[in-house]
Amino acid sequence: MKEKEQKEQKESKSILIEADSISAYDSGKENPGHSVIKKNRIKRITGLILIFLLAYGCYRFYSFYTTPNRAIQQTYLIPKDAIFIILSDNPVSGWNQFSESEPWKCLRQSPSFADITEKATILDSVLHENRKLMSLVGKRDLMISIHKVRPNFWDFLYIVDLQKISEIELLKEQIQQVYSLLDFKVTYRKYKDIDIIELTSTKTHEILYTAFVDNHYIASYSSKLVQASIDERNNPVIGLDPVFIEANKLIAGKGLFRIYIQYAYLPEILDMYLGKDDVYLPIISKSMSYAGLKADVNNNKIELNGYTFFSDTINAYVSALFHSGKKEMQAHHILSDRTAFYTNIGFDDPVIFVKELEKALSANHPSEYLTYKSSYEKIESTLGISLADDFLSWMSGEFAFTELEPGLLGQEPEIILAIRTKDPKLAKEKMASIEKKVKKRTPVSIKAVDYKNYMISYVELKGFFALFFGKMFDKFEKPYYTYIDDYMVLSNRPASLLSFVEDYVQKRTLGKDKGFEQVLSQVDKKSTYFIYTNTQKVFPLLKPVLNKKSWEDLNQNKEIVYSFPYATLQITGNQKLITMQACMNYFPYQEELIPDAPEPEDENVSVTSEIDEIDELKRFYAEKFQGNVYREFYPEGSLKSECEIHEGRRHGKYHEYYKEGTLKIRGKYSKGQPKGTWIYYSEEGKPEHKVKM
């Protein structure tokens, strides 16, 4: 017996000497016998793995046949402030499929994904090198939750269900020895009777906090999350939430992996990237509780499908929307192909929607209901109209809200609202009646001009849209509008409406865009709430929305963003369940080379070009809406020049500006020709010289 103890001590000493040698070898110190040590190291780790398997096999035989199962639910260990929860039933095969997909290979090139990519690369190599071992051990539920741990920083908590294997003290000891051999300094501390094992990397000095909690192994680079997980064990919140349980039940076992979103904490993540407050985020976070989505990935797209659930504090407009049915989407047949961001809202009938809205307000928001009724009655009494008969009766239930990249008349993004009518003739009659009553009862002059047989009108509808359809529509209280096919099309700027008409006349519509055709084939044609984003067109519009750092990071990853050209979100409501689908299409970005314009075959042939039409449009806009002032802009949007015009020619004062906004040239035109004395200024604003024309 004594000889056996001496032999074990000798072997233990040998292991420690070898571990020191390995550490010296890995840190770059000279060691003549390092090749032998390396082989011994491999043998030693292989031996430990065999011990794991042997211990696991023996224990499985013993535990499953002789002891009761005291396992706890994996969800009971998720801290209550989780924003995203990712669950995989088979992380090995799931990760293999995900890591081999083209979308992930593209995303991992991004510097913004550096930290995630580094950890994923380690995981990838471990799983590939130990594929046989992992297949022998079997499936293990892996759950990852994402939390905001401090201002402008979020982190992960990993929870692995080890089943009864976690009870083997021998296995725990062997795992700790492996950590030591792999250059981690292992230390311990107690937290509520649980050992937290702190693994400090001798190279990066990062600390990975781990613990065995009942039948689970938890780990995070944030000690706060590990402690929160232990706290949650006896008083679980998410794991016992009936809505989360329902979401989990509906998508259990589906998809490559599953994602759960807790809306209440969603603004905490998004606020880290936005440059200004988003008015819609609080509404969404208060109206929804959880989303449960199954995720699938292939070489062409990343797709999520599942369900989203209301909260008890749901916004009345959101409740009314998802209890009013759905509508077939048709607006893309008239929308411009310059569409960068498109939201389609649909329901069976506006009158039904308003009834649902009033029911939700009176039942759950009595003070808001009183305000709503007061506004409703004030509009009707002031104008002498019936909102139900004169305003809602001609609408069919489809509303298309779009933001377009800058068009033909300047550099400002353009906002458009298209409302599908039941009958365009009825809509025109009802709106003409409202115009007359607005003009009669309020000191507002109604403007109307004809452009290519489309009458552009202006009317004040203060409070109309916001009353029935919420904050998204408050931009259209003083709209310019016209009619195109079955739609009434509105904008807060006449330039946007004229550019929109020009696109439609030239048949440059979203419905003819090949990318949008592909997107449309992937979603349900009938929808309650649909969002489409063209990332290449929306990209420059994001600068004022994001904070400075987020914009710089995004700009650095421009080619990667452009490789996901289309993204969609569709939510379809009924009385029982709200379905949700999100998709990002992948197509490797290649910068287009614009070919030189071909030389005309006969220089004497007069050809009406698109530029001539654009010039005609600009002249029309200047004469009808800008007080006979023609303006030009630099590509990035700042004003370049402005000049008075008469009968389509420059006639009057002319000013030209530097990009920074200081005056560059001052002069006059007469019937299209420069006239008088022109003064030229330096960038500092000082006169440099004069020229007599």
Side-chain angles (χ1 to χ4, degrees):
M1 193 73 180
K2 190 174 181 181
E3 290 178 3
K4 187 178 178 181
E5 289 178 1
Q6 289 175 346
K7 186 178 179 181
E8 288 178 352
Q9 288 175 2
K10 187 176 180 182
E11 286 182 356
S12 299
K13 189 175 181 182
S14 174
I15 292 172
L16 291 173
I17 292 169
E18 183 180 319
D20 290 339
S21 300
I22 292 168
S23 179
Y25 168 69
D26 288 343
S27 61
K29 294 179 181 178
E30 290 293 331
N31 192 329
H34 64 78
S35 60
V36 175
I37 292 170
K38 187 176 181 181
K39 289 178 182 178
N40 287 338
R41 181 192 186 193
I42 294 170
K43 288 180 181 178
R44 183 70 61 184
I45 293 177
T46 304
L48 290 171
I49 290 170
L50 291 174
I51 291 172
F52 297 165
L53 294 177
L54 180 61
Y56 176 63
C58 294
Y59 182 75
R60 290 282 290 200
F61 179 82
Y62 172 77
S63 63
F64 282 123
Y65 292 100
T66 62
T67 61
N69 188 350
R70 296 186 179 88
I72 66 166
Q73 292 279 358
Q74 194 174 27
T75 55
Y76 292 176
L77 296 177
I78 306 170
K80 62 184 178 182
D81 61 351
I83 301 165
F84 299 102
I85 302 165
I86 303 168
L87 175 62
S88 174
D89 299 328
N90 195 348
V92 179
S93 63
W95 173 254
N96 287 338
Q97 185 176 335
F98 181 74
S99 63
E100 291 300 320
S101 69
E102 293 301 323
W104 170 248
K105 289 178 182 177
C106 175
L107 286 171
R108 68 186 296 173
Q109 299 172 38
S110 164
S112 298
F113 279 77
D115 188 47
I116 298 174
T117 301
E118 182 184 355
K119 291 181 175 62
T121 303
I122 294 170
L123 173 64
D124 188 50
S125 62
V126 168
L127 293 178
H128 276 82
E129 291 298 325
N130 297 282
R131 189 171 293 177
K132 290 184 179 179
L133 171 63
M134 298 303 291
S135 65
L136 286 171
V137 172
K139 293 184 179 181
R140 289 285 176 269
D141 285 348
L142 170 65
M143 186 171 279
I144 303 171
S145 58
I146 300 171
H147 309 254
K148 184 178 180 181
V149 292
R150 58 180 184 270
N152 299 318
F153 191 81
W154 46 273
D155 213 333
F156 302 90
L157 174 70
Y158 303 87
I159 308 171
V160 182
D161 186 355
L162 298 177
Q163 301 169 18
K164 291 186 178 182
I165 193 172
S166 61
E167 298 172 23
I168 305 178
E169 291 302 323
L170 174 61
L171 181 64
K172 295 178 185 178
E173 292 171 6
Q174 297 296 341
I175 287 175
Q176 291 156 23
Q177 285 191 40
V178 171
Y179 282 133
S180 297
L181 291 173
L182 295 178
D183 283 337
F184 284 95
K185 180 184 177 184
V186 182
T187 56
Y188 301 84
R189 65 182 173 89
K190 284 280 187 185
Y191 182 77
K192 295 188 176 179
D193 296 325
I194 298 289
D195 280 326
I196 294 180
I197 309 165
E198 300 173 335
L199 309 169
T200 306
S201 169
T202 57
K203 294 179 180 178
T204 65
H205 302 291
E206 275 192 303
I207 303 175
L208 179 66
Y209 302 90
T210 70
F212 290 90
V213 183
D214 297 314
N215 52 300
H216 295 92
Y217 181 67
I218 62 175
S220 178
Y221 283 94
S222 168
S223 61
K224 175 183 176 182
L225 292 183
V226 171
Q227 292 177 184
S229 180
I230 295 170
D231 290 338
E232 205 76 13
R233 172 195 182 197
N234 294 320
N235 297 290
V237 175
I238 291 177
L240 293 178
D241 189 312
V243 180
F244 178 82
I245 292 171
E246 178 69 12
N248 193 24
K249 182 179 74 174
L250 286 170
I251 62 168
K254 297 179 181 178
L256 190 62
F257 53 90
R258 306 192 291 281
I259 295 178
Y260 305 88
I261 302 169
Q262 187 172 197
Y263 290 100
Y265 295 96
L266 193 59
E268 292 189 9
I269 284 283
L270 297 181
D271 284 346
M272 292 164 57
Y273 303 100
L274 299 176
K276 57 182 180 181
D277 292 337
D278 190 300
V279 295
Y280 304 114
L281 272 180
I283 295 174
I284 294 170
S285 65
K286 289 179 181 178
S287 297
M288 301 292 182
S289 54
Y290 291 97
L293 307 164
K294 67 181 184 71
D296 290 293
V297 181
N298 60 37
N299 287 334
N300 301 313
K301 62 183 177 181
I302 300 173
E303 189 171 17
L304 303 173
N305 282 282
Y307 307 91
T308 190
F309 298 85
F310 294 140
S311 70
D312 294 334
T313 56
I314 184 170
N315 176 273
Y317 292 93
V318 176
S319 176
L321 176 62
F322 289 108
H323 285 87
S324 301
K326 54 188 177 181
K327 200 76 174 179
E328 183 177 356
M329 297 184 290
Q330 295 183 5
H332 51 274
H333 295 303
I334 69 149
L335 298 178
S336 169
D337 64 359
R338 292 183 291 111
T339 296
F341 186 80
Y342 165 34
T343 301
N344 188 292
I345 297 173
F347 38 78
D348 290 331
D349 187 273
V351 175
I352 294 174
F353 170 81
V354 170
K355 287 180 179 178
E356 288 289 341
L357 173 64
E358 292 177 349
K359 184 167 69 174
L361 284 171
S362 61
N364 303 311
H365 309 276
S367 60
E368 288 183 40
Y369 179 68
L370 292 175
T371 302
Y372 163 85
K373 289 298 290 183
S374 174
S375 300
Y376 192 109
E377 292 166 1
K378 184 178 180 181
I379 291 172
E380 287 193 326
S381 62
T382 302
L383 298 178
I385 63 171
S386 166
L387 285 170
D389 294 338
D390 296 323
F391 189 62
L392 297 175
S393 63
W394 52 266
M395 300 179 186
S396 76
E398 183 190 12
F399 298 80
F401 179 88
T402 66
E403 186 168 358
L404 286 69
E405 62 181 352
L408 309 175
L409 293 168
Q411 301 300 315
E412 292 295 320
E414 300 177 353
I415 308 296
I416 293 288
L417 171 63
I419 303 172
R420 188 167 16 139
T421 66
K422 294 176 181 175
D423 178 359
K425 184 179 179 181
L426 176 65
K428 290 177 183 178
E429 289 175 359
K430 294 292 187 181
M431 283 304 299
S433 174
I434 290 175
E435 279 187 18
K436 287 180 182 178
K437 291 177 179 180
V438 169
K439 186 175 181 179
K440 181 179 178 181
R441 296 173 181 269
T442 60
V444 177
S445 59
I446 308 296
K447 299 178 182 178
V449 297
D450 182 273
Y451 180 71
K452 295 189 176 181
N453 296 322
Y454 292 95
M455 189 62 67
I456 311 295
S457 302
Y458 170 85
V459 64
E460 281 199 12
L461 298 172
K462 190 172 183 180
F464 278 51
F465 288 112
L467 177 67
F468 294 121
F469 308 120
K471 291 185 177 181
M472 180 179 286
F473 295 87
D474 62 7
K475 298 180 178 67
F476 303 98
E477 292 197 331
K478 299 179 180 180
Y480 292 84
Y481 69 95
T482 190
Y483 298 91
I484 298 178
D485 285 357
D486 291 338
Y487 290 84
M488 177 185 183
V489 183
L490 307 93
S491 179
N492 53 347
R493 295 176 62 241
S496 301
L497 206 56
L498 290 170
S499 292
F500 189 90
V501 169
E502 193 65 39
D503 287 339
Y504 181 75
V505 168
Q506 297 182 26
K507 299 182 179 180
R508 298 199 301 258
T509 59
L510 184 61
K512 295 181 182 296
D513 183 271
K514 296 298 181 185
F516 186 79
E517 284 181 0
Q518 179 186 355
V519 162
L520 207 59
S521 69
Q522 298 169 351
V523 300
D524 192 338
K525 302 301 183 294
K526 287 189 174 183
S527 179
T528 305
Y529 190 79
F530 172 78
I531 292 176
Y532 159 81
T533 303
N534 183 312
T535 55
Q536 296 185 22
K537 289 182 170 64
V538 84
F539 191 90
L541 307 181
L542 295 176
K543 187 174 182 179
V545 177
L546 302 175
N547 59 41
K548 185 179 179 182
K549 185 179 184 307
S550 298
W551 170 249
E552 289 173 352
D553 290 343
L554 191 69
N555 209 30
Q556 190 178 11
N557 297 298
K558 185 175 181 179
E559 290 189 5
I560 294 173
V561 174
Y562 279 16
S563 292
F564 294 86
Y566 312 108
T568 59
L569 171 67
Q570 185 176 49
I571 307 176
T572 305
N574 58 44
Q575 295 291 336
K576 294 182 179 180
L577 204 58
I578 311 299
T579 60
M580 185 174 180
Q581 177 191 9
C583 185
M584 285 176 59
N585 289 74
Y586 172 73
F587 189 80
Y589 173 67
Q590 292 181 337
E591 191 169 0
E592 293 183 22
L593 298 176
I594 301 174
D596 295 331
E599 295 291 333
E601 295 180 4
D602 186 350
E603 293 184 0
N604 296 320
V605 176
S606 176
V607 179
T608 302
S609 68
E610 186 179 321
I611 294 176
D612 294 325
E613 293 184 38
I614 293 173
D615 288 342
E616 175 192 350
L617 176 64
K618 288 182 177 179
R619 288 197 299 270
F620 179 89
Y621 176 54
E623 290 170 351
K624 302 295 183 182
F625 295 100
Q626 288 193 306
N628 290 310
V629 177
Y630 177 74
R631 294 184 175 91
E632 294 180 307
F633 298 86
Y634 287 104
E636 66 275 10
S638 57
L639 182 64
K640 182 179 181 181
S641 68
E642 53 186 353
C643 183
E644 295 175 341
I645 63 170
H646 181 66
E647 296 181 349
R649 292 185 293 182
R650 298 177 191 267
H651 185 83
K653 297 176 182 178
Y654 174 84
H655 295 88
E656 187 172 334
Y657 304 91
Y658 290 101
K659 288 183 180 181
E660 294 74 20
T662 55
L663 185 63
K664 183 178 182 180
I665 304 171
R666 176 185 291 171
K668 285 185 179 181
Y669 274 94
S670 177
K671 297 180 179 180
Q673 299 297 320
K675 181 184 178 182
T677 302
W678 284 51
I679 306 173
Y680 292 76
Y681 296 83
S682 68
E683 292 188 38
E684 290 74 30
K686 297 179 180 179
E688 286 190 325
H689 61 279
K690 298 179 181 180
V691 176
K692 186 75 174 178
M693 299 295 184

